[in-house]
């Protein structure tokens, strides 16, 4: 479901989401982290003022006539305050631990003096509450020298958290506003850049929308970026395949409508002639049988040509044993060879090519069938298969009269009459198969002994040979 939703979303939304979302998330996390760090920094700064105040008060304590005395100027009570807006809270306990001066409702420090410390008069910072309000407190055990044993008075100075929190919030909101302004700039720049980057895609879409249904010419959008070139190349290749397929379909319809119309018209004429009694029935039926056979052959060739184009569009290939397919084809056509009492030879090495088995078999069948048709009775023909220099060669030879030099150029065209007395699609099918497999076909007359008399025709096909597939 998530994959389907991702496919349906636009590229623009996808890019914006994955560019802006991480940045926005980072800004939010960084802002809260900054607030905590700011609060810690504010606490550190204010705590230093608290420590300075508690030491200032501690330094003013003295013993007179056995009693604890303190002269506390107001400035000493405000040294820690940044803006002098909060009320001073302090408490002093005498040597006996009883309240001496200050705010007696400030909770007394519950910690104990560390007698083993190297410097016991260090201030201790902690948090407490005063009248239900959170406060930050600095407590100091201040040594006081008397005539007797050394004693220590407890000095506590407290500050409400209001100023600290207000300063931290102020810094946080100022930083957050700057971060928000930064995010707005990033979003604006990203929108502009993404829109500019997708302009070639929009131009390509508009160009395709404006095309007519039969326009399969290559796409050439102006100023297409390098990343879009593979897509345009694949699109042009697809259009070329579609154009080739449509051309083939149009040729198929045109050829079928033209070529099948003639034998059907002849067949109708023969039928009418038989009904009128122009000739004996067995003569009419024989002529009709020949016409039906030619129409059947033509229809099969048209269907074979259509299947070749269909298999070419699929692009599915496999390793084919050329010699085995040639033997199977020769067995299928053995009745035609025997009917003319032909001397057939098959000399084939074990050679493998890449292609579709039906197409390779159809290629051999058409070449061999053409050779049988042009070889006179009791003549010779054969198939020879060889491999050399990484190439596989299929040679189908006959002992017919060959073809003229002018016919060499048109023999692979549809319904060319150069290759047979009645025309057809046999060699056209061979040309299409060879082209789809990336092979090459060549026809040449065979002259022996320097004679000017043609001894036959060689049809050779050159393939790229492949290794024998491993079994299992």
């Amino acid at each position: 479901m998530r994959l389907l939703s991702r496919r349906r979303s636009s590229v623009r939304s996808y890019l914006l989401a994955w560019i802006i979302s991480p940045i926005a998330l980072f800004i939010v996390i960084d802002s809260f982290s900054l607030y905590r760090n700011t609060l810690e920094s504010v606490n550190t700064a204010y705590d230093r003022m608290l420590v300075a105040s508690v030491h200032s008060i501690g330094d003013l304590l003295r013993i007179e006539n056995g009693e604890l005395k303190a002269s506390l100027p107001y400035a000493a009570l405000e040294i820690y305050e940044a803006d002098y807006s909060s009320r001073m809270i302090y408490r002093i306990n005498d040597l006996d631990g009883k309240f001496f001066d200050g705010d007696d409702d400030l909770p007394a420090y519950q910690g104990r003096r560390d007698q083993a410390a190297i410097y016991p008069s260090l201030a201790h910072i902690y948090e407490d509450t005063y009248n239900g309000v959170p406060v930050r407190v600095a407590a100091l055990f201040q040594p006081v020298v008397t005539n007797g044993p050394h004693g220590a008075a407890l000095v506590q100075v407290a500050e409400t958290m209001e100023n600290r929190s207000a300063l931290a919030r102020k810094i946080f909101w100022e930083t957050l506003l700057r971060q928000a302004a930064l995010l707005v700039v990033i979003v604006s720049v990203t929108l502009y850049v993404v829109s500019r980057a997708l302009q070639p895609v929009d131009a390509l879409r508009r160009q395709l929308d404006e095309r007519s249904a039969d326009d399969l010419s290559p796409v050439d959008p102006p100023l297409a970026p390098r990343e879009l070139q593979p897509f345009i190349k694949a699109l042009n290749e697809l259009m070329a395949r579609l154009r080739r397929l449509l051309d083939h379909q149009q040729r198929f319809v045109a050829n079928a409508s033209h070529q099948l119309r003639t034998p059907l018209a002849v067949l109708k004429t023969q039928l009418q002639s038989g009904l009128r009694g122009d000739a004996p029935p067995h003569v009419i039926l024989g002529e009709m049988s020949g016409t039906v056979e030619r129409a059947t052959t033509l229809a099969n060739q048209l269907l074979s040509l259509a299947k070749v184009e269909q298999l070419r569009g699929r692009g599915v290939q496999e390793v084919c044993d050329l010699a085995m397919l040639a033997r199977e084809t020769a067995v299928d056509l053995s009745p035609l060879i025997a009917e003319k009492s032909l001397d057939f030879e098959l000399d084939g090495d074990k050679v493998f090519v890449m292609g579709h088995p039906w197409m390779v078999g159809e290629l051999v069948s058409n070449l061999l069938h053409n050779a049988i048709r042009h070889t006179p009775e009791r003549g010779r023909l054969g198939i020879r298969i060889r491999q050399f220099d990484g190439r596989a060669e299929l040679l189908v030879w006959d002992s017919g009269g060959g073809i003229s030099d002018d016919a060499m150029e048109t023999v692979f065209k549809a319904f060319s009459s150069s290759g047979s007395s009645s025309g057809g699609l046999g060699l056209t099918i061979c040309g299409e198969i060879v082209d789809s497999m990336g092979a090459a076909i060549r026809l040449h007359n065979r002259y022996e002994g320097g004679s000017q008399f043609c001894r036959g025709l060689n049809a050779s096909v050159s393939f790229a040979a492949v290794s024998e597939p491993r079994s299992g």
Side-chain angles (χ1 to χ4, degrees):
M1 188 69 179
R2 182 181 301 175
L3 182 59
L4 181 61
S5 176
R6 183 181 301 173
R7 287 177 178 175
R8 288 179 177 176
S9 62
S10 66
V11 176
R12 182 178 285 101
S13 300
Y14 185 80
L15 290 175
L16 292 176
W18 281 100
I19 293 175
I20 296 176
S21 296
I23 297 176
L25 180 62
F26 173 79
I27 288 177
V28 171
I29 296 175
D30 182 68
S31 298
F32 283 99
S33 176
L34 178 63
Y35 176 73
R36 290 195 301 269
N37 294 336
T38 302
L39 189 59
E40 291 178 0
S41 300
V42 170
N43 281 334
T44 301
Y46 274 75
D47 287 346
R48 288 178 179 176
M49 297 179 183
L50 276 178
V51 171
S53 296
V54 75
H55 277 290
S56 297
I57 296 175
D59 291 341
L60 296 175
L61 297 180
R62 64 186 185 280
I63 299 295
E64 293 182 359
N65 299 324
E67 293 182 359
L68 183 65
K69 299 291 183 180
S71 299
L72 304 180
Y74 188 76
L77 302 179
E78 289 187 341
I79 190 173
Y80 71 95
E81 296 177 2
D83 55 5
Y84 302 99
S85 61
S86 60
R87 175 177 173 268
M88 165 53 62
I89 305 170
Y90 75 99
R91 176 185 178 122
I92 302 176
N93 287 357
D94 60 13
L95 301 180
D96 298 327
K98 296 180 180 180
F99 175 76
F100 170 70
D101 192 12
D103 301 283
D104 60 351
D105 51 354
L106 177 65
Y109 178 61
Q110 300 299 321
R112 295 184 178 181
R113 182 184 182 189
D114 187 0
Q115 300 291 341
I118 298 177
Y119 187 64
S121 60
L122 292 177
H124 300 270
I125 306 296
Y126 65 96
E127 293 183 3
D128 206 337
T129 57
Y130 175 72
N131 294 332
V133 177
V135 292
R136 189 87 166 170
V137 185
L140 174 67
F141 287 97
Q142 176 65 36
V144 180
V145 179
T146 63
N147 295 330
H150 289 264
L154 175 62
V155 181
Q156 295 173 258
V157 177
E159 179 195 11
T160 60
M161 304 290 289
E162 180 181 358
N163 286 348
R164 300 168 182 247
S165 300
L167 180 58
R169 284 194 300 269
K170 178 183 178 182
I171 297 175
F172 169 74
W173 284 114
E174 291 177 352
T175 304
L176 192 60
L177 288 175
R178 289 194 297 268
Q179 299 279 38
L182 175 63
L183 183 60
V184 170
V185 173
I186 292 175
V187 171
S188 301
V189 174
T190 303
L191 282 171
Y192 176 76
V193 172
V194 170
S195 298
R196 286 292 301 271
L198 293 178
Q199 280 183 356
V201 178
D202 294 335
L204 177 61
R205 176 187 55 79
R206 289 192 299 269
Q207 183 177 352
L208 293 177
D209 288 341
E210 294 171 357
R211 286 191 170 207
S212 59
D214 56 349
D215 185 3
L216 295 177
S217 59
V219 176
D220 187 22
L223 303 178
R226 184 172 60 253
E227 291 78 8
L228 199 58
Q229 292 297 334
F231 170 75
I232 297 175
K233 180 180 178 182
L235 182 62
N236 288 335
E237 291 176 354
L238 174 62
M239 288 188 173
R241 292 194 298 268
L242 290 176
R243 183 171 60 253
R244 190 164 53 245
L245 179 60
L246 291 178
D247 291 343
H248 171 75
Q249 290 178 346
Q250 292 173 358
R251 290 196 307 269
F252 176 81
V253 172
N255 292 334
S257 61
H258 175 70
Q259 297 297 327
L260 292 178
R261 184 183 297 114
T262 300
L264 290 178
V266 173
L267 185 62
K268 181 179 180 181
T269 302
Q270 292 170 343
L271 179 60
Q272 291 174 348
S273 178
L275 292 175
R276 290 193 304 266
D278 296 340
H282 68 278
V283 175
I284 297 297
L285 290 177
E287 293 176 353
M288 292 178 64
S289 176
T291 303
V292 170
E293 183 178 355
R294 288 191 298 272
T296 302
T297 301
L298 181 59
N300 289 334
Q301 289 179 336
L302 287 171
L303 293 175
S304 297
L305 190 60
K307 187 173 182 179
V308 169
E309 190 65 27
Q310 181 185 23
L311 294 176
R312 172 191 286 187
R314 292 180 181 176
V316 179
Q317 294 185 341
E318 58 184 86
V319 179
C320 303
D321 189 340
L322 189 57
M324 183 187 69
L325 292 173
R327 285 193 297 269
E328 293 177 352
T329 302
V331 171
D332 293 337
L333 297 180
S334 59
L336 297 178
I337 298 175
E339 183 180 351
K340 299 181 68 173
S341 301
L342 301 176
D343 184 9
F344 176 73
E345 299 178 10
L346 176 58
D347 182 12
D349 296 337
K350 198 169 187 179
V351 178
F352 296 92
V353 297
M354 185 65 69
H356 193 281
W358 180 87
M359 295 177 69
V360 177
E362 189 70 11
L363 171 65
V364 178
S365 177
N366 280 278
L367 291 177
L368 185 56
H369 196 280
N370 194 61
I372 294 172
R373 187 169 62 251
H374 290 87
T375 302
E377 291 189 6
R378 300 186 182 278
R380 298 175 62 247
L381 77 161
I383 299 176
R384 185 166 64 246
I385 299 174
R386 292 288 184 269
Q387 179 177 348
F388 53 90
D389 297 334
R391 304 291 298 180
E393 182 188 48
L394 167 69
L395 176 64
V396 180
W397 58 273
D398 61 50
S399 55
I403 59 176
S404 64
D405 294 338
D406 295 336
M408 289 286 188
E409 300 179 359
T410 60
V411 72
F412 293 104
K413 295 181 180 180
F415 303 106
S416 170
S417 60
S418 303
S420 65
S421 58
S422 59
L425 292 171
L427 291 178
T428 302
I429 295 174
C430 294
E432 292 290 335
I433 292 175
V434 167
D435 183 65
S436 67
M437 296 179 61
I441 186 170
R442 179 173 174 266
L443 303 179
H444 64 277
N445 294 321
R446 189 174 65 255
Y447 300 92
E448 297 180 358
S451 173
Q452 298 296 324
F453 181 74
C454 181
R455 299 293 183 179
L457 180 71
N458 288 356
S460 62
V461 183
S462 177
F463 305 88
V466 297
S467 302
E468 180 179 358
R470 297 181 180 179
S471 59

